[in-house]
Amino acid sequence: MRLISLKLVLSLLFAQSMLSAAHATPPPLRCADLIISADRAGKDIADHSDRRVVRVDGETLANPDALTAAVNRQGVEATIIVGGNFHGWDLSGLSLGLACFVDSDLSQSNWSQARLSAPAFVQTNLEASNFQGANIAHVYFDNSNLKEVNARDANLSWGRFGGGWFEGSVEGWIIDGADLTGFVFDCGITVSDGCPVYQGGAAISAKGTDFTRATLHSFSLFNVALTGALLDQTIIGPGQLPDVAQAEFRGDIIFRGGVEDVRLTAEEAQILVAENAGMKAVKDRPSFDCSKAATKVEAEICGEYASDLRLADRDIAALYQRAKSVDSGVRASQLTWLKQRDLCVATEYPSDCIRESYSLRKGQLLGLLGETDWLAPGETALFIDDVLPLPASFHQSDLFTKITPALVGASMTEILVERSDQGLYSITGSAVGANAHTCSINASHLYFDQQSGWYIPVSEGPAIPIFRIFDDRLEIFAAGRRDYEQYPQASGFMSCGMRASFGETIRIDVGDALIENYRKSLNEEM
């Protein structure tokens, strides 16, 4: 007989108790004190059984009547059902007391129009089950398989969802028209606490779903159908705003970035949606019209997954225009470079070749233009992920200033660049990637190298590229990863875990106090 661990049940019941405190009419679960007492006594809750909390082996339940009888026993407040094969059971219209399913198979079960009192599904297979119109308010999902679950028009209000990065699935989960008022997606960034993400197949459908007061900021909304979903007092991350563009903003929206919350009116949210959409259209174009792509290289640049090449192409075009005003002879070198770039189509990996070609040319043009006054002596600049791309002109608006704390808080990358009074630069920063893998960078006594366009350390040895900057966008050499072939010495200044890297970051204006906080924090990390 399989046992449920104390830690698992504690997390389950603690989540339920937290939900109870947040709602005017809490669910009838009152066994959290029993769990805590068992923990303090060094006992496993699986061994506990009395008239209030009962543990049932799911394998002993032969039919829906047996399940109902086990859960609805008089005087029992909670039933923990461990294991059991309930595949394909018809439980429609059923009314159950508090049932906590753990490691059970409920695939293809039918719960339509059923009423369950604050149920829990932990490490449970719910694939293709039907909860249409069911009342499962205060539901708790943890590490469960929700693939192709139909919860259309169901009541999931004040529920909670967490865990299941690898074990769980949300492919094809349907919650159209469902009530998710106050629902909390509680997702971390490690294997143990991360939520399942879209990995292909049918997407989540949440058309017309009520997300009033819901907390969505930690859950990936990529490829979730949200047309007509209702947002009011809803908590989202700044980077999720494009994902909810087709939703209905009925009231204020709360931008959550780290520990920072910024309340936006519906009108302000719509302004940001429009500004982001305009910026997205610009960022998705190279310097030429993709509908008129005339060469194989241009076709590669216009490929579906080649957004980085399109950005590189725009950068080179902009740098070239500026370089012409500095050196009239740059046209000849540009034509020579274009011919070399076009040879990439004959290589084994054309896109990689094009990417490297653009990077080298970018360095040449930056070197030709020379160092700019982007950072004055004695100044410090903060760079973060561009979590919500907006036009540069919009960065001067009051609304951008208002959302800045949330943008900074939502960034997984923080980089400080300082310039000494003598003119040399230093850089320190960190980034967090998947499964909490991290990057770090720390280098000082840097100067601009006109030959390469990179900022490099003062040294009698080889020139080691550290970072470069263009239009207030900062690039770390090789994204912080080790380059064993060309610059193995760079690993002395920067490093990244397997699932982390330094992406391009943008400069953001913040107060001196925040700059100082980041300086102290990064110095402690280093």
Side-chain angles (χ1 to χ4, degrees), residues 252-273:
D252 289 357
I253 301 299
I254 300 169
F255 261 11
R256 176 164 294 175
V259 298
E260 298 290 341
D261 282 355
V262 175
R263 183 176 290 272
L264 301 172
T265 65
E267 292 74 18
E268 288 174 328
Q270 292 285 15
I271 290 172
L272 292 172
V273 167

Side-chain angles (χ1 to χ4, degrees), residues 6 10 56 97 117 123 158 173 206 210 276 286 385 426 429 487 510:
L6 174 60
L10 274 172
V56 175
S117 177
Q123 295 179 352
W158 306 101
W173 187 21
D210 189 349
N276 171 260
D385 296 322
S426 63
Y487 300 100
V510 296

Side-chain angles (χ1 to χ4, degrees), residues 418-433:
E418 302 183 62
R419 191 177 186 188
S420 69
D421 292 335
Q422 291 72 38
L424 293 177
Y425 297 79
S426 63
I427 183 171
T428 181
S430 64
V432 180

Side-chain angles (χ1 to χ4, degrees), residues 250-450:
R250 283 198 172 180
D252 289 357
I253 301 299
I254 300 169
F255 261 11
R256 176 164 294 175
V259 298
E260 298 290 341
D261 282 355
V262 175
R263 183 176 290 272
L264 301 172
T265 65
E267 292 74 18
E268 288 174 328
Q270 292 285 15
I271 290 172
L272 292 172
V273 167
E275 293 287 346
N276 171 260
M279 186 64 181
K280 183 179 179 181
V282 171
K283 291 186 69 172
D284 201 44
R285 294 196 299 262
S287 65
F288 56 90
D289 187 348
C290 276
S291 67
K292 300 178 181 179
T295 67
K296 291 182 179 180
V297 166
E298 290 181 346
E300 284 281 348
I301 294 170
C302 293
E304 182 179 359
Y305 303 108
S307 58
D308 64 322
L309 294 182
R310 290 190 282 277
L311 171 60
D313 185 80
R314 291 197 310 275
D315 282 352
I316 293 301
L319 284 166
Y320 173 62
Q321 291 301 319
R322 298 179 195 183
K324 286 196 297 184
S325 64
V326 175
D327 182 1
S328 59
V330 72
R331 183 174 184 275
S333 65
Q334 185 76 354
L335 291 174
T336 299
W337 167 74
L338 284 171
K339 291 179 181 178
Q340 293 173 338
R341 181 204 66 175
D342 289 351
L343 295 177
C344 283
V345 295
T347 63
E348 184 177 3
Y349 302 105
S351 60
D352 289 345
C353 177
I354 296 169
R355 190 173 292 109
E356 183 177 356
S357 177
Y358 272 115
S359 182
L360 289 173
R361 185 55 176 167
K362 183 176 183 179
Q364 293 168 359
L365 293 175
L366 284 171
L368 179 63
L369 290 170
E371 185 173 14
T372 62
D373 294 327
W374 65 274
L375 192 64
E379 277 191 339
T380 302
L382 174 65
F383 293 83
I384 64 170
D385 296 322
D386 195 4
V387 293
L388 181 64
L390 296 164
S393 58
F394 191 77
H395 286 209
Q396 309 306 315
S397 68
D398 291 339
L399 182 52
F400 187 84
T401 300
K402 180 178 180 178
I403 67 173
T404 291
L407 297 178
V408 174
S411 175
M412 302 300 284
T413 305
E414 304 95 24
I415 297 174
L416 286 181
V417 180
E418 302 183 62
R419 191 177 186 188
S420 69
D421 292 335
Q422 291 72 38
L424 293 177
Y425 297 79
S426 63
I427 183 171
T428 181
S430 64
V432 180
N435 200 19
H437 287 206
T438 60
C439 291
S440 64
I441 183 169
N442 190 14
S444 60
H445 298 89
L446 308 176
Y447 69 97
F448 181 74
D449 177 35
Q450 280 196 272

Side-chain angles (χ1 to χ4, degrees), residues 444-449 452 454-459 462-467:
S444 60
H445 298 89
L446 308 176
Y447 69 97
F448 181 74
D449 177 35
S452 66
W454 290 91
Y455 285 81
I456 66 174
V458 174
S459 171
I464 303 171
I466 304 297
F467 76 88

